[in-house]
Amino acid sequence: MTSENAIDPTAPPSGAGCQECDAGGGWWFHLRRCATCGHVGCCDSSPAQHATAHYKATGHPLVRSFEPGEEWFWDYATDELYESGPDLAPPASHPQDQPVPGPAGRVPEDWARQLHR
């Protein structure tokens, strides 16, 4: 990884869902975790795209999938995908019982039409 100095393996995730969506009552499709500070934001397919917004606001280039069973990293600075990387502080994903999209009770019926493609 070209941005390995941007990884803090001790930083815990900011929560079980997108920090900004949770604060504003929004919803997400998939979640991404900042490898520098642990911020959890929603993916680029989600309506609000908070993970990319976090990168643009902070310059933290690396995110890891925050989905169960996924270990890949994405480097926003280089547009590179890494199949795996160092272990980060637990938990490695949102709770297994959290639905995708999520969270339960906030996802609109027409959610698939609202995704960015």
Side-chain angles (χ1 to χ4, degrees), residues 5-24:
N5 61 340
I7 297 174
D8 179 354
T10 66
S14 61
C18 175
Q19 189 170 351
E20 291 82 6
C21 288
D22 276 342

Side-chain angles (χ1 to χ4, degrees), residues 7-104:
I7 297 174
D8 179 354
T10 66
S14 61
C18 175
Q19 189 170 351
E20 291 82 6
C21 288
D22 276 342
W27 64 276
W28 54 81
F29 185 48
H30 289 125
L31 296 170
R32 308 294 178 239
R33 173 185 177 173
C34 177
T36 303
C37 70
H39 173 272
V40 176
C42 54
C43 71
D44 284 350
S45 294
S46 300
Q49 303 174 330
H50 286 123
T52 295
H54 176 75
Y55 161 64
K56 290 178 179 177
T58 64
H60 297 167
L62 287 171
V63 292
R64 183 177 183 221
S65 175
F66 202 54
E67 296 298 318
E70 296 183 0
E71 298 180 4
W72 57 262
F73 286 75
W74 177 258
D75 189 329
Y76 285 109
T78 62
D79 287 334
E80 289 184 82
L81 175 71
Y82 299 95
E83 295 296 324
S84 64
D87 289 335
L88 301 179
S93 70
H94 64 75
Q96 294 276 348
D97 63 353
Q98 181 175 294
V100 175

